[in-house]
Amino acid sequence: MPLCATCDSVDIFNLLLICLSQCRDKQEALRVSDGETYDNRLKNYEGSEVKHHGDIFEIEKSSKVCDLCKIIFQAFKRTNVQDVEVARGLQMMFRTSYSKIEVCYNTDAKEGLIKLCGLDVYMDEANVEELFRVGQIKEDNSPPILKIMEKDPASDRSLDIASRWLKNCVESHSSCRPPTEFQKPPRRLIHVGNKTQNLFLVETFPNLQHVEWLSLSYCWGGEPSMKLTNGTMNALKNGIPLESFDKTIKDAVFVTRGLGISYIWIDALCTPQGDNRWIEEASKMNEIYGGSTVTLVIASSDSIKNGFLKKRELKYIPVAYSTDKVEDHRAKLFLSSEWDDSEREYNGAWSKRGWTMQEGLLPNRLLHYTDSQIIWKCCEEQRFERGITERVADIVSETLTYSDVSDIAFGSSLDYPLMSHSDTFRLWYDLVEDYTPRRFENISDRLAAISGLAKVYGGMIRNPTYAAGLWKEDLIRGLLWHVEGTTLIPKHPASNTSTFPNFPSWSWASVGYEVVKNDLKTSNSLRALSEIENTHIDLDDQRYPYGAVRSGSVTITGPLRRLPRLYNKKWASAEASMSKLEHYISEIVEKESQGSVAHKYSSPPGGHFSVLVMVGDIHLLHLLVLEATGGIVKGVNEYRRGGILKLLYVDPSSYTSPEVIAKLEKMEASSTALLGLHEKTNKTRMTSNAVFMEVNEGNWAKETVIIV
């Protein structure tokens, strides 16, 4: 649709020039570290406001014939205004604000202009670069002009953008180069050839150097049409036409060729399927992905059948402008809705698959294909096809990203002694928290699919002992994980079916697809009150200590108290004969069971439960709750891990202290204790203190137990 007369009369190009000036001044102010200078310079642009339609109702009427009005009215509907009449008569305005064009209401009141929505401005890449040059500004993470994207991600222009990103990184970023020890190629690679050649499998040799390969990270989403097996090995070596492969493989080969890379590593075609030989390759993921020239991430597709080079739905509204009023030279710029930050995330199947986590964290260069654009990530920067560049050092993220482990993956080591600092294992617990909700077709792969990261991490912290997803040197703290939302009652334990026979109960791998947290990951003030005597891990293959396990046990000694049950239904009765601790645990079990307490908590099949004090200080205790299996090994009772208890003692005189209240609220929010908050009664607080004192002063005898 053409623009309405009102939209066509807005001098978008003049607003854009003002945005360029604001962006230049902002960059100059940042360069001299003088934010106040930029704020003062903004005053030079006061009055850069243009009247639009009389109110939103005029825009609604015009939206039937004008694309720009349609965008603005859709933004208004998303605000969910309860009484639309409040907008009647409010003049609509265009303005520039911090290098962006915004659509606003003019309230003619103290509030002044109120933003309704933002508009992004796009131009052809050559025009963007020319205006940036004339305006003396650099591309950054908030440019006033974005680069119009191709509808076809398989176009020459789109591939040229990706190629330039790769070339720039290879030539300019020394920190992104794979370490020498990772530059040996994998045992098998696929040679992609050219348009007239078939794909064929190449078996490399350990001493072969200077081979560049692209590694592929994608979702199978079903069985591939072609896999490497004993039956297909010779055919793949002899060469198979590209048309014989699934769409995602064909698209990946197309991109690999476009980047000028001769080899691609694809798990289904380079790792033997259907036998245990894949275990060897799984143990080398850090080398395969970390040593590749670039990793191609298929972020937008959930199946190998679908492909990813699909035409995009681009909604650009063309706006004519004149750069030379004398000759009336008419060119084009484009407007669209302000970019949604969610477009920079990867919320599809790829980001939820277990195997892809280390595939996204181990490489030093990644090229993502999403539904909307291609995105480059390396150790130094992140680039978006739409024309935004961000330095990795400036990116603030609440979730774990590959940049958090890039230094680990490429040879860095911690500069403080092992075990002397609480941060030694902090990043590992962050990795586990991010990893545990990810899905598998076969969850028994859970430890194997993180083995590459474990191997790298172990090397970083000077080769400690890996133990089924935890580390022996930090096992006292490591055992005190809990599932988000519960501390005692597991939601969906993986070990309760024959599908998950190999995970020890003390490993976070033993629970279902729940977020696993460790509240002690940043703590270094608590004293260990128990001691790890021994760990025993029965590996699936002894050659791969970071891989899958068959079983495992931990022998530990510490202050222990046996309990006949975890739950007594009479816990709320004043006449019930039970300790404060038993009362407290029963209350938690009932709450976390949500009204349906399992029979075993009242009458365990092995005869009893036990509570083991793990760490503590004068204000805080962390306990491990264990369930007896009934087994005895050389006179030592055998248990399964149940959950944890966290007991806090608060001086009654400090109940109103903001610091104490904040600490209590944090504990309540993380579901690690049922302690009284400021709005609850002093009686509840005194009860929690009484439980702490009972345990702290109990002088429990130390006992050795085995946890399986």
Side-chain angles (χ1 to χ4, degrees):
M1 291 187 291
L3 298 182
C4 66
T6 301
C7 288
D8 196 43
S9 67
V10 176
D11 193 343
I12 297 294
F13 188 59
N14 183 61
L15 292 175
L16 177 59
L17 293 178
I18 294 174
C19 287
L20 285 167
S21 299
Q22 291 178 340
C23 186
R24 180 196 62 218
D25 288 350
K26 181 179 180 181
Q27 290 182 349
E28 176 64 19
L30 292 174
R31 186 180 68 82
V32 298
S33 301
D34 185 1
E36 184 178 357
T37 300
Y38 176 53
D39 290 338
N40 289 336
R41 288 178 179 179
L42 279 180
K43 296 176 182 178
N44 297 329
Y45 304 110
E46 290 178 358
S48 57
E49 300 161 358
V50 178
K51 286 186 177 181
H52 192 232
H53 281 287
D55 61 16
I56 196 66
F57 295 97
E58 288 187 16
I59 288 179
E60 178 183 16
K61 182 179 179 180
S62 180
S63 66
K64 297 177 175 60
V65 295
C66 174
D67 280 335
L68 184 52
C69 287
K70 184 177 180 180
I71 285 177
I72 298 171
F73 186 66
Q74 287 173 340
F76 173 75
K77 290 194 294 184
R78 288 194 296 270
T79 61
N80 294 319
V81 176
Q82 298 297 317
D83 182 6
V84 296
E85 285 299 317
V86 300
R88 189 173 295 279
L90 296 183
Q91 174 70 51
M92 304 301 297
M93 306 284 291
F94 278 27
R95 72 173 179 187
T96 63
S97 176
Y98 289 86
S99 76
K100 287 292 184 182
I101 296 177
E102 295 180 347
V103 182
C104 307
Y105 299 108
N106 188 357
T107 64
D108 287 327
K110 185 177 180 180
E111 294 85 358
L113 296 183
I114 299 177
K115 177 183 175 182
L116 172 62
C117 65
L119 298 174
D120 281 334
V121 181
Y122 290 81
M123 298 178 69
D124 288 330
E125 186 171 14
N127 289 336
V128 171
E129 292 174 353
E130 174 64 15
L131 280 178
F132 278 9
R133 185 186 64 79
V134 173
Q136 297 181 325
I137 66 171
K138 298 178 180 178
E139 182 182 340
D140 63 14
N141 62 357
S142 58
I145 317 174
L146 299 174
K147 299 170 184 176
I148 193 166
M149 294 183 291
E150 291 283 296
K151 288 188 176 182
D152 183 5
S155 68
D156 290 342
R157 178 181 172 274
S158 183
L159 281 174
D160 181 61
I161 291 171
S163 296
R164 280 188 279 126
W165 288 344
L166 175 59
K167 184 175 185 291
N168 174 69
C169 182
V170 169
E171 294 179 351
S172 306
H173 300 165
S174 58
S175 63
C176 298
R177 295 169 189 161
T180 303
E181 61 269 24
F182 284 2
Q183 291 178 11
K184 292 185 297 185
R187 182 175 178 181
R188 300 177 186 88
L189 290 169
I190 297 291
H191 191 284
V192 299
N194 54 44
K195 293 181 180 179
T196 63
Q197 290 178 308
N198 293 337
L199 304 188
F200 60 92
L201 180 69
V202 176
E203 291 202 277
T204 61
F205 302 93
N207 60 349
L208 189 62
Q209 299 290 335
H210 308 300
V211 173
E212 293 188 342
W213 71 93
L214 177 148
S215 53
L216 182 64
S217 180
Y218 66 109
C219 294
W220 280 30
E223 283 296 304
S225 299
M226 178 66 67
K227 297 189 296 184
L228 178 61
T229 65
N230 290 334
T232 63
M233 180 81 73
N234 288 334
L236 282 167
K237 287 182 178 180
N238 292 329
I240 294 179
L242 183 60
E243 291 71 26
S244 302
F245 295 88
D246 292 308
K247 190 65 170 66
T248 291
I249 303 302
K250 288 191 283 189
D251 287 352
V253 168
F254 180 84
V255 172
T256 305
R257 289 172 175 171
L259 295 176
I261 299 174
S262 299
Y263 297 95
I264 184 171
W265 186 89
I266 304 170
D267 55 359
L269 299 175
C270 298
T271 301
Q273 306 294 313
D275 56 34
N276 288 332
R277 284 183 292 172
W278 69 270
I279 297 175
E280 179 182 358
E281 293 292 293
S283 70
K284 297 178 179 179
M285 290 298 104
N286 58 315
E287 301 170 19
I288 292 172
Y289 284 94
S292 63
T293 300
V294 64
T295 291
L296 176 61
V297 174
I298 314 307
S300 60
S301 178
D302 60 359
S303 171
I304 194 172
K305 310 292 184 183
N306 295 339
F308 58 92
L309 297 179
K310 301 175 181 178
K311 296 290 180 67
R312 300 161 174 165
E313 293 289 333
L314 300 177
K315 298 178 181 178
Y316 295 133
I317 301 171
V319 179
Y321 73 92
S322 175
T323 57
D324 189 333
K325 293 185 178 180
V326 175
E327 298 183 6
D328 195 29
H329 174 66
R330 307 291 284 182
K332 286 287 181 69
L333 58 83
F334 302 84
L335 296 178
S336 74
S337 299
E338 187 174 27
W339 192 267
D340 188 340
D341 275 347
S342 66
E343 296 287 350
R344 62 188 294 128
E345 303 298 334
Y346 316 113
N347 297 319
W350 180 85
S351 66
K352 296 176 175 62
R353 180 174 174 252
W355 281 99
T356 60
M357 178 168 162
Q358 66 179 7
E359 296 168 9
L361 291 173
L362 290 171
N364 53 353
R365 303 186 187 105
L366 301 105
L367 180 64
H368 295 78
Y369 273 77
T370 73
D371 281 331
S372 57
Q373 64 178 320
I374 54 176
I375 303 173
W376 172 267
K377 287 186 178 182
C378 65
C379 298
E380 295 196 14
E381 63 185 12
Q382 179 168 263
R383 288 179 175 265
F384 296 81
E385 188 180 357
R386 64 192 177 98
I388 286 179
T389 297
E390 300 174 338
R391 293 192 311 155
V392 168
D394 297 334
I395 298 173
V396 178
S397 176
E398 295 181 358
T399 59
L400 193 69
T401 67
Y402 84 101
S403 59
D404 293 321
V405 295
S406 60
D407 286 341
I408 299 173
F410 304 113
S412 299
S413 61
L414 300 181
D415 57 2
Y416 45 80
L418 187 65
M419 299 304 103
S420 69
H421 197 288
S422 64
D423 278 350
T424 304
F425 294 95
R426 176 193 58 79
L427 181 55
W428 182 257
Y429 297 125
D430 287 339
L431 287 166
V432 169
E433 185 173 329
D434 219 37
Y435 182 65
T436 44
R438 290 175 173 248
R439 300 280 168 161
F440 291 87
E441 290 186 18
N442 185 355
I443 200 172
S444 63
D445 291 341
R446 194 178 227 177
L447 291 177
I450 202 174
S451 60
L453 281 174
K455 188 176 182 179
V456 168
Y457 206 90
M460 180 196 71
I461 52 180
R462 300 162 197 168
N463 299 307
T465 305
Y466 189 63
L470 296 171
W471 303 93
K472 181 179 178 180
E473 289 74 6
D474 197 49
L475 203 51
I476 291 293
R477 181 167 55 171
L479 289 170
L480 293 171
W481 54 265
H482 67 91
V483 170
E484 187 174 45
T486 66
T487 60
L488 283 180
I489 310 301
K491 293 181 179 179
H492 305 289
S495 57
N496 66 352
T497 75
S498 59
T499 309
F500 316 117
N502 299 332
F503 300 130
S505 68
W506 46 266
S507 170
W508 48 263
S510 65
V511 300
Y513 296 114
E514 311 292 343
V515 175
V516 170
K517 293 180 173 290
N518 193 313
D519 297 329
L520 292 179
K521 64 184 178 183
T522 58
S523 173
N524 59 2
S525 62
L526 298 178
R527 182 169 58 94
L529 301 175
S530 288
E531 181 180 358
I532 301 296
E533 304 287 352
N534 185 41
T535 59
H536 175 75
I537 307 297
D538 184 11
L539 293 167
D540 197 48
D541 190 316
Q542 296 298 320
R543 294 173 297 171
Y544 310 116
Y546 298 99
V549 302
R550 295 175 180 171
S551 62
S553 65
V554 174
T555 303
I556 185 169
T557 299
L560 182 134
R561 179 176 175 183
R562 298 189 185 188
L563 301 173
R565 63 178 80 82
L566 278 192
Y567 178 70
N568 186 334
K569 63 182 180 180
K570 297 181 180 180
W571 67 268
S573 170
E575 289 75 29
S577 177
M578 54 195 305
S579 67
K580 295 179 177 63
L581 177 63
E582 291 174 290
H583 179 284
Y584 180 58
I585 292 176
S586 293
E587 184 178 1
I588 294 177
V589 171
E590 186 170 296
K591 179 179 180 179
E592 292 187 352
S593 298
Q594 298 180 340
S596 180
V597 178
H599 177 69
K600 70 173 184 177
Y601 296 120
S602 301
S603 179
H608 70 278
F609 291 89
S610 284
V611 182
L612 182 67
V613 183
M614 298 288 282
V615 298
D617 59 18
I618 60 174
H619 297 294
L620 190 62
L621 290 172
H622 286 257
L623 293 77
L624 196 60
V625 180
L626 307 170
E627 177 187 356
T629 66
I632 298 177
V633 180
K634 296 182 180 180
V636 178
N637 283 298
E638 185 182 83
Y639 291 87
R640 283 185 293 268
R641 184 190 185 278
I644 64 170
L645 283 178
K646 186 174 180 180
L647 304 177
L648 176 68
Y649 178 83
V650 182
D651 186 337
S653 64
S654 66
Y655 280 152
T656 58
S657 163
E659 293 79 10
V660 172
I661 293 300
K663 192 170 186 178
L664 290 171
E665 288 177 333
K666 183 178 180 180
M667 292 179 66
E668 179 75 7
S670 64
S671 299
T672 54
L674 299 177
L675 298 177
L677 303 183
H678 53 73
E679 73 274 10
K680 295 186 179 181
T681 65
N682 283 338
K683 180 179 179 180
T684 303
R685 295 171 184 159
M686 292 303 293
T687 299
S688 61
N689 274 1
V691 176
F692 177 94
M693 295 301 296
E694 180 182 85
V695 174
N696 194 47
E697 297 175 356
N699 294 319
W700 296 354
K702 287 192 174 183
E703 187 173 331
T704 299
V705 297
I706 297 173
I707 311 174
V708 295

